[in-house]
Amino acid sequence: MAETERQLTEAIREGDRAALRRLYERYVRYGMAIALRIVADEEDALDVVHDAFVSILTSIDTFDYRGEGSLKAWVARIVTNKSLSWLKDNDKLQLTDQLPEEPANDDDAPIEAVPPNVLNTMISRLPKANRIVVNLHVFGEMTHSEIGQELGISAKTSMAYFSRAKQMLSKMIKEYLNAQGI
């Protein structure tokens, strides 16, 4: 039977050093996937994940268990915050609240017809700001208000980056489907 988050957390709090290792092994790939979505470069993402796990392992006693899935969400939040901090610290994040208006495109492409690995590649090809907002909103389940606060932009600007990303993805999806003869 697999160890629950509660059991893992309790083992760590009881001083079980092997439980720290199990925590790392359980979530390191998940953390890397999050970091790669935000930072994009594999070596930089690896540095971010290592920094995040140092924080996770040294502050696990502050974690407040709120049910199964809360530990995973806590890990995700720390990795996300470390990724955004890395972008800011390395001048890799430059967003502006002044975006030109673009016409709306209500003709969305059928995303369900695209394999997940192809869709991930398409997302990775988005401009950095759009990619970050998409990943924080869709995968990080953050509101545009939360994204705006985290990135130092308005919620409206976050929505604009997201909208523009959807337009770009829709175009990429249509091109992909045409190339596949679908």
Side-chain angles (χ1 to χ4, degrees):
M1 184 169 137
E3 184 176 39
T4 66
E5 286 185 348
R6 178 183 290 276
Q7 292 167 330
L8 181 58
T9 304
E10 288 173 1
I12 291 169
R13 289 197 172 129
E14 291 170 1
D16 181 352
R17 307 249 332 132
L20 290 171
R21 182 79 172 146
R22 291 194 305 275
L23 171 73
Y24 177 82
E25 290 171 352
R26 185 172 184 169
Y27 293 115
V28 69
R29 289 174 49 97
Y30 176 66
M32 188 66 175
I34 293 168
L36 278 170
R37 288 186 182 284
I38 297 170
V39 174
D41 180 77
E42 194 168 339
E43 285 184 35
D44 294 334
L46 191 56
D47 288 344
V48 166
V49 169
H50 284 141
D51 287 349
F53 270 93
V54 167
S55 294
I56 290 163
L57 298 175
T58 58
S59 64
I60 188 71
D61 57 327
T62 66
F63 168 67
D64 183 25
Y65 180 81
R66 295 181 181 171
E68 201 63 27
S70 61
L71 180 60
K72 186 176 185 178
W74 185 69
V75 167
R77 178 61 77 176
I78 291 173
V79 173
T80 297
N81 290 342
K82 289 287 185 184
S83 297
L84 293 172
S85 292
W86 185 91
L87 288 174
K88 291 174 188 172
D89 293 346
N90 291 283
D91 278 339
K92 302 282 185 183
L93 181 63
Q94 296 176 358
L95 303 176
T96 179
D97 272 335
Q98 300 178 352
L99 295 173
E101 290 294 320
E102 284 196 9
N105 179 3
D106 294 333
D107 188 23
D108 288 337
I111 196 169
E112 63 279 351
V114 180
N117 63 322
V118 174
L119 185 60
N120 283 335
T121 299
M122 290 175 184
I123 292 170
S124 73
R125 291 181 17 221
L126 291 171
K128 185 179 298 175
N130 301 86
R131 184 186 75 238
I132 291 168
V133 170
V134 164
N135 283 305
L136 293 177
H137 185 65
V138 175
F139 301 104
E141 299 178 358
M142 294 173 73
T143 67
H144 288 293
S145 179
E146 291 170 326
I147 294 168
Q149 242 178 344
E150 192 66 44
L151 300 178
I153 58 176
S154 70
K156 185 176 179 180
T157 300
S158 175
M159 288 187 273
Y161 277 115
F162 186 74
S163 177
R164 187 157 309 150
K166 282 178 46 180
Q167 290 173 6
M168 288 184 269
L169 284 171
S170 182
K171 181 179 177 192
M172 285 186 240
I173 290 169
K174 288 175 186 174
E175 290 170 358
Y176 170 81
L177 294 175
N178 286 338
Q180 299 300 310
I182 299 174

